[in-house]
């Protein structure tokens, strides 16, 4: 269940309202209590006044009655009714006296102050009579409206009767009521004043509460609201909407300023992060991320507008070589110079709006669009101009620390919407076109065409699938036995890489080695092959009749040779496997060695110093002459199987093979013939004194365990 949300302001209003109500209730209670007390005071005052007046009345009544009794003693003794009457009438004349009764010792009425004395001789038969008769002293009794006072009349010890005077209470009651009314009136006056004061107090309290609420609203709630809004904006990534300035010097003012500062610093960081995230640190160009965003934005804007775009995918040719030979710093410098040349090539194209980005490594991507208002040239023509400009400017020699460096660039162009409709496919097709330019001999440009797709896509997929193939266990080694020609004794094996693709099955090395070489993967795979082959070979048994343990011959690609890590990889493999150096043979292709003779000569020398044997593979297919062998010191050469296969048919091949064997032997170089598929070939080679032979006739490449079985 959701609890209704009360914000600070409404909570505060509720509290203030609560306090006000409480004050009102307390005030009302106090007021009520005051009224009650006043009532009680009036009540008590009334009672005490009443008692006081009654007492006063009683004592004066008693005094009057005694006085009258004294005066009546003689007339009564002599039974002088006239005198008694005079006295009784005199007493009755007093304004508050209601009745006067003179009675004899038996309680009979003798006189009541009237002329005819109608009650004469009648006994007093009211309720008080017996009590009065019995009293020996003046006696008072308060009845409802009358105070009855009696006094006995005596002569010496003899009782003659008594006198009774009834005082009417009306006057006293009136006086009492008057005084109480006066008291009430003065209380009312006091109440009136108190009520005013209370109202005033309530008004003051209410206005204080209102003032407090206003103050709180101004000082706390409003700034808090502003701060909350600012923080919400910041959270949403809006650092620019202004926060109202505050000149307050208190904590809130400080808080507002701090939040402002915090926002500025966040904005700065955000800018920095964006700069880092969206630009290439080395060249300052846009990076992959920025490019993709821009590309997607433009494609969205162009959808259905009928305008065209061209994407140029440029990849430097042989840039890896510069990194490998001159070092990464030089490589970085080259990239910076390349970036400058690209920028100036871009500037030279008129009527186009071009975005340039570096995609990392030696890849640059350009997005070309007709400039606004520049209608003259079509996007296709502009793309041709730009691609030509790039190829031209990047094939000019570059000066690097006084050294001339020759580069080149392969450019692929894909167009929107003709070639692709989305950013990803536009990039992919640009890449494919670039690949095609590489295939066409590099340093040129190619426009994407649909026919390019299949071949190149297969190749690219292979490259993709090949990554991590060793780690996934898809790559393995097979071993093809190598025999001594003279006695056909098994002396060693060549390790051959096998790829079992999870979907496509076995893939021929001639296909995937090429791909691995082009994308550089061969450097990692080659190192693994080397180590793995050495580990395996170290546990091989000595075959019968050989006299020494078999050697393992490992193929090394040209790229491994150039990378500069080969020596270390060989040292590591030998150390980890414990294999004797002379049992390791490295097969290098002729072309790899010639292409960088100086470097290769030095490297081969160092390998041979380690004790490792170096063989030239596929000998005869490259451009090397036998004289070449003198400069590049090798231990052996493998005559390519194209010569061996025609050995029986083509006399020229037989002559050439014989010459190679003779020359090699004169230089102390071992000769291996590969691709021996028939007995005749083998016999010929034995006649010509070829040292070692290898081929399907002698043995196919075997799985490791099968090869070990063969050795036994
Ligand atoms: P290669 O070094 O010249 O290897 C010999 C190739 O000839 C192997 O082909 C082998 O199976 C094949 N072969 C052997 N005897 C005969 C025969 O009697 N008739 C015919 N027609 N072929 C025979 P494979 O295994 O397909 O390897 C092809 C190439 O792939 C190798 O040529 C080598 O250049 C490369 N390669 C293989 N493994 C590796 C490796 O681990 N590293 C590198 N860098 N390259 C490798
Ligand atoms: Mg080989
Ligand atoms: Mg070969």
């Amino acid at each position: 269940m959701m609890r209704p949300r009360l914000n600070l302001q409404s909570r505060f209003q509720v509290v203030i309202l609560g306090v006000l109500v409480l004050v009102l209730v307390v005030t009302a209670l106090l007021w009520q209590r005051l009224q009650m007390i006043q009532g009680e005071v009036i009540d008590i005052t009334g009672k005490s006044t009443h008692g006081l007046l009654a007492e006063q009345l009683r004592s004066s009544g008693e005094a009057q009655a005694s006085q009258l009794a004294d005066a009546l003693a003689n007339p009564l003794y002599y039974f002088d009714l006239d005198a008694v009457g005079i006295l009784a009438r005199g007493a009755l004349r007093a304004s508050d006296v209601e009745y006067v009764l003179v009675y004899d010792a038996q309680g009979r009425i003798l006189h009541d102050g009237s002329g005819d004395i109608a009650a004469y001789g009648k006994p007093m038969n009211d309720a008080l009579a017996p009590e009065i008769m019995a009293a020996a002293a003046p006696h008072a009794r308060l009845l409802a409206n009358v105070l009855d006072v009696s006094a006995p009349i005596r002569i010496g010890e003899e009782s003659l009767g008594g006198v009774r005077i009834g005082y009417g209470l009306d006057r006293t009651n009136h006086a009492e009521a008057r005084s109480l009314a006066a008291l009430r009136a003065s209380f009312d006056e006091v109440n009136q004043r108190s009520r005013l004061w209370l109202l005033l107090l309530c008004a003051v309290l209410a206005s204080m509460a209102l003032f407090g609420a206003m103050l709180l609203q101004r000082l706390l709630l409003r700034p808090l609201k502003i701060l909350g809004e600012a923080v919400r904006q910041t959270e949403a990534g809006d650092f620019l909407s202004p926060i109202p300035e505050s000149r307050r010097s208190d904590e809130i003012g400080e808080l507002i300023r701090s939040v402002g500062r915090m926002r500025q610093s966040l904005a700065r960081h955000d800018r920095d992060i964006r700069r880092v995230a969206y630009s290439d640190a080395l060249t300052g160009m846009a990076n992959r991320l920025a490019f993709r965003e821009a590309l997607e934005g433009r494609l969205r804007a162009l959808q259905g507008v009928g305008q065209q775009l061209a994407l140029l995918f440029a990849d430097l040719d042989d840039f890896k070589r510069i990194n490998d030979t001159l070092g990464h710093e030089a490589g970085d410098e080259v990239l910076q110079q390349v970036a400058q040349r690209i920028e100036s090539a871009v500037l030279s194209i008129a009527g186009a709006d071009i975005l340039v980005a570096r995609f990392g490594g030696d890849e640059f991507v350009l997005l070309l669009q007709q400039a606004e208002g520049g209608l003259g040239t079509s996007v296709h023509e502009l793309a041709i101009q730009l691609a030509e400009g790039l190829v031209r400017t990047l094939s000019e020699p570059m000066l690097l620390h006084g050294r001339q460096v020759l580069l080149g660039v392969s450019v692929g162009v894909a167009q929107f919407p003709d070639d692709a409709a989305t950013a990803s496919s536009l990039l992919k097709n640009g890449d494919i076109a670039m690949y095609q330019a590489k295939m066409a001999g590099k340093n040129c440009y190619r426009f994407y065409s649909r026919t390019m797709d299949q071949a190149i896509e297969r190749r690219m997929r292979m490259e993709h699938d090949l990554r991590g193939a060793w780690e996934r266990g898809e790559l393995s080694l097979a071993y093809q036995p190598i025999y001594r020609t003279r006695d056909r004794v098994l002396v060693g094996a060549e390790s051959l890489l096998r790829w079992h693709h999870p979907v496509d099955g076995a893939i021929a090395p001639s296909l995937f080695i090429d791909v691995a070489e082009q994308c550089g993967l061969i450097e990692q795979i080659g190192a693994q092959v080397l180590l793995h082959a050495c580990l395996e070979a170290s546990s091989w048994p000595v075959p019968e009749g050989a006299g020494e343990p078999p050697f393992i011959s490992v193929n090394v690609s040209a790229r491994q040779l150039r990378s500069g890590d080969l020596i270390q990889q060989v040292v590591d493999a030998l150390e980890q496997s414990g294999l004797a150096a002379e049992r390791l043979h490295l097969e290098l292709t002729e072309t790899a060695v010639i292409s960088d003779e100086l470097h290769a000569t030095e490297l081969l020398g160092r390998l041979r110093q380690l004790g490792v044997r170096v063989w030239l593979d596929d000998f005869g297919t490259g451009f090397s002459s036998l004289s070449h062998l003198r400069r590049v010191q090798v231990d052996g050469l493998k005559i390519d199987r194209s010569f061996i296969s025609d050995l029986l048919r083509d006399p020229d091949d037989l002559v050439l093979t014989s010459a190679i064997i003779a020359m090699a032997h004169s230089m102390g170089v071992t000769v291996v013939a590969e691709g021996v598929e028939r007995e005749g070939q083998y016999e010929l080679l034995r006649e010509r004194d070829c040292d070692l032979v290898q081929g399907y006739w002698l043995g196919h490449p075997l799985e490791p365990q099968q090869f070990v079985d063969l050795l036994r």
Side-chain angles (χ1 to χ4, degrees):
M1 202 177 76
M2 267 263 293
R3 269 180 48 174
R5 238 190 75 188
L6 267 186
N7 62 19
L8 204 56
Q9 184 168 3
S10 7
R11 273 190 222 190
F12 189 71
Q13 281 164 352
V14 167
V15 168
I16 293 224
L17 211 68
V19 169
L20 278 179
V21 167
L22 194 75
V23 166
L24 278 179
V25 168
V26 168
T27 314
L29 281 176
L30 277 177
W31 184 255
Q32 201 201 17
R33 183 86 201 121
L34 192 71
Q35 298 301 310
M36 250 165 71
I37 290 173
Q38 282 182 3
E40 276 165 26
V41 167
I42 290 173
D43 208 29
I44 292 168
T45 312
K47 276 186 189 139
S48 68
T49 312
H50 185 75
L52 208 68
L53 286 178
E55 191 51 45
Q56 221 173 9
L57 206 60
R58 180 195 300 262
S59 61
S60 78
E62 277 174 4
Q64 257 181 49
S66 302
Q67 221 177 339
L68 190 59
D70 286 347
L72 281 173
N74 267 327
L76 208 57
Y77 185 72
Y78 295 107
F79 207 72
D80 179 359
L81 272 184
D82 284 339
V84 170
I86 289 170
L87 283 170
R89 262 191 298 279
L92 196 58
R93 238 173 271 126
S95 64
D96 55 342
V97 174
E98 299 222 326
Y99 57 88
V100 175
L101 295 177
V102 183
Y103 54 88
D104 63 11
Q106 280 75 44
R108 286 184 302 248
I109 294 172
L110 293 179
H111 211 300
D112 59 2
S114 62
D116 53 353
I117 317 173
Y120 182 84
K122 287 184 185 156
M124 290 188 297
N125 51 2
D126 60 306
L128 280 180
E131 198 181 316
I132 291 171
M133 298 287 294
H139 181 79
R141 257 295 178 216
L142 200 57
L143 299 174
N145 283 316
V146 180
L147 178 72
D148 187 284
V149 185
S150 62
I153 303 172
R154 282 201 185 100
I155 288 268
E157 285 306 303
E158 186 189 349
S159 172
L160 301 178
V163 62
R164 243 177 112 175
I165 306 175
Y167 292 98
L169 287 179
D170 280 355
R171 256 178 48 196
T172 19
N173 282 348
H174 271 119
E176 199 183 311
R178 260 200 318 279
S179 93
L180 281 183
L183 187 65
R184 265 201 198 92
S186 55
F187 269 143
D188 279 350
E189 202 179 317
V190 168
N191 281 348
Q192 187 87 22
R193 275 203 303 275
S194 307
R195 210 167 14 236
L196 265 175
W197 273 110
L198 269 179
L199 277 178
L200 206 66
L201 192 73
C202 281
V204 167
L205 270 176
S207 43
M208 262 168 69
L210 276 179
F211 182 69
M214 256 168 56
L215 211 62
L216 200 83
Q217 168 80 13
R218 251 189 78 83
L219 292 182
L220 210 64
L221 298 180
R222 206 159 42 156
L224 275 182
K225 218 169 171 163
I226 291 172
L227 276 177
E229 186 52 33
V231 170
R232 244 193 312 285
Q233 285 167 354
T234 312
E235 197 183 16
D238 168 12
F239 304 107
L240 296 176
S241 322
I243 307 183
E245 283 270 315
S246 169
R247 267 190 267 284
R248 289 168 59 171
S249 58
D250 58 4
E251 292 86 339
I252 294 283
E254 189 46 45
L255 187 63
I256 292 180
R257 280 187 291 276
S258 301
V259 168
R261 284 196 297 274
M262 187 181 80
R263 239 156 73 124
Q264 280 167 6
S265 107
L266 275 176
R268 249 194 326 275
H269 278 111
D270 187 66
R271 265 200 305 280
D272 289 351
I273 288 171
R274 269 171 193 279
R275 204 178 46 239
V276 172
Y278 283 101
S279 70
D280 172 50
L282 183 67
T283 59
M285 284 177 170
N287 65 7
R288 189 186 286 264
L289 194 67
F291 186 85
R292 260 206 97 106
E293 277 187 17
L295 176 59
E296 263 158 21
R298 286 197 197 180
L299 288 185
R300 260 198 308 279
L302 290 187
Q303 213 68 256
V305 174
Q307 230 192 329
Q308 293 191 319
L309 272 182
L311 181 137
L312 285 81
F313 207 109
D315 189 285
L316 300 183
D317 298 330
D318 299 321
F319 176 71
K320 179 89 168 64
R321 204 188 63 229
I322 293 185
N323 256 347
D324 291 348
T325 50
L326 304 177
H328 284 274
E329 261 172 51
D332 285 354
E333 259 188 77
V334 168
L335 285 174
Q336 280 164 340
Q337 288 197 29
V338 166
Q340 277 168 15
R341 287 190 186 190
I342 292 179
E343 304 269 18
S344 54
V346 162
L347 286 179
S348 71
I349 308 292
D353 173 5
I354 302 172
L355 174 72
V356 195
R358 178 172 168 236
F359 262 36
D362 56 353
E363 285 175 354
F364 293 85
V365 182
L366 300 92
L367 189 65
L368 184 150
Q369 198 175 356
Q370 264 177 344
E372 248 166 77
L375 286 171
T377 334
S378 73
V379 165
H380 186 80
E381 285 167 65
L382 286 170
I384 293 178
Q385 284 179 20
L386 181 59
E388 276 174 355
L390 288 175
V391 171
R392 197 172 43 244
T393 180
L394 290 175
S395 55
E396 276 164 28
M398 213 170 263
L399 216 55
L400 197 72
H401 304 299
R403 255 179 94 159
Q404 269 209 348
V405 177
L406 274 177
L407 268 180
V409 67
S410 302
V411 182
V413 189
Q415 284 168 280
F416 168 89
D418 296 349
D419 299 335
T422 66
S424 307
S425 49
L426 201 59
L427 277 165
K428 194 187 87 191
N429 292 348
D431 197 20
I432 288 176
M434 184 275 291
Y435 231 91
Q436 201 62 26
K438 292 256 189 225
M439 292 298 151
K442 301 182 176 172
N443 206 29
C444 60
Y445 68 91
R446 284 290 178 271
F447 271 80
Y448 170 83
S449 75
R450 287 191 199 285
T451 46
M452 285 179 182
D453 269 18
Q454 289 151 8
I456 288 175
E457 209 166 333
R458 218 179 307 134
R459 215 185 155 88
M460 285 167 82
R461 211 190 71 200
M462 187 177 280
E463 182 181 325
H464 173 263
D465 291 351
L466 202 52
R467 285 183 201 281
W470 185 277
E471 288 73 14
R472 290 193 299 270
E474 292 166 20
L475 292 172
S476 63
L477 290 180
Y479 298 96
Q480 185 173 32
I482 299 176
Y483 293 86
R484 197 153 60 201
T485 322
R486 118 171 95 83
D487 48 9
R488 267 177 67 186
V489 165
L490 181 55
V491 288
E494 176 178 6
S495 71
L496 293 163
L497 195 55
R498 295 289 173 257
W499 182 17
H500 194 88
H501 190 279
V503 179
D504 301 343
I507 295 178
S510 52
L511 289 177
F512 73 82
I513 297 274
D514 205 30
V515 174
E517 196 142 348
Q518 287 216 350
C519 67
L521 268 174
I522 195 69
E523 286 171 30
Q524 301 155 34
I525 296 176
Q528 298 287 352
V529 167
L530 190 65
L531 176 63
H532 200 72
C534 288
L535 283 169
E536 201 103 51
S538 64
S539 61
W540 283 344
V542 182
E544 203 178 315
E548 53 185 291
F551 62 79
I552 173 73
S553 186
V554 178
N555 291 289
V556 172
S557 96
R559 199 152 181 164
Q560 280 173 279
L561 203 63
R562 277 194 251 113
S563 80
D565 295 338
L566 187 61
I567 299 270
Q568 195 52 49
Q569 285 171 9
V570 168
V571 170
D572 288 348
L574 290 176
E575 205 174 83
Q576 285 187 42
S577 62
L579 190 78
E582 62 275 8
R583 285 180 63 200
L584 177 62
H585 297 192
L586 299 182
E587 295 187 13
L588 306 169
T589 59
E590 213 186 348
T591 30
V593 174
I594 306 165
S595 69
D596 195 355
E597 200 183 288
L598 218 65
H599 177 64
T601 321
E602 193 224 316
L603 195 76
L604 299 195
R606 282 167 63 195
L607 281 170
R608 294 179 71 215
Q609 267 172 18
L610 287 175
V612 173
R613 303 282 153 81
V614 178
W615 286 358
L616 273 190
D617 203 357
D618 303 343
F619 191 80
T621 54
F623 315 97
S624 66
S625 54
L626 283 169
S627 62
H628 194 86
L629 280 182
R630 296 193 194 280
R631 290 202 300 274
V632 185
Q633 295 273 306
V634 294
D635 301 283
L637 50 86
K638 296 183 85 169
I639 302 176
D640 191 69
R641 64 170 182 274
S642 55
F643 293 92
I644 309 301
S645 62
D646 283 348
L647 216 53
L648 295 171
R649 272 178 282 131
D650 192 338
D652 284 352
D653 278 353
L654 183 58
V655 171
L656 197 67
T657 306
S658 310
I660 291 172
I661 296 172
M663 271 289 279
H665 282 171
S666 75
M667 288 184 285
V669 173
T670 309
V671 181
V672 189
E674 60 177 15
V676 178
E677 292 180 346
R678 289 191 213 145
E679 189 174 0
Q681 293 165 337
Y682 167 73
E683 292 302 340
L684 267 179
L685 289 164
R686 195 168 62 161
E687 270 170 35
R688 304 299 145 119
D689 212 11
C690 179
D691 304 277
L692 304 171
V693 278
Q694 171 186 3
Y696 291 166
W697 183 69
L698 294 142
H700 280 265
L702 299 172
E703 294 201 354
Q705 192 48 50
Q706 288 176 318
F707 182 69
V708 172
D709 293 345
L710 182 71
L711 285 171
R712 289 202 175 106

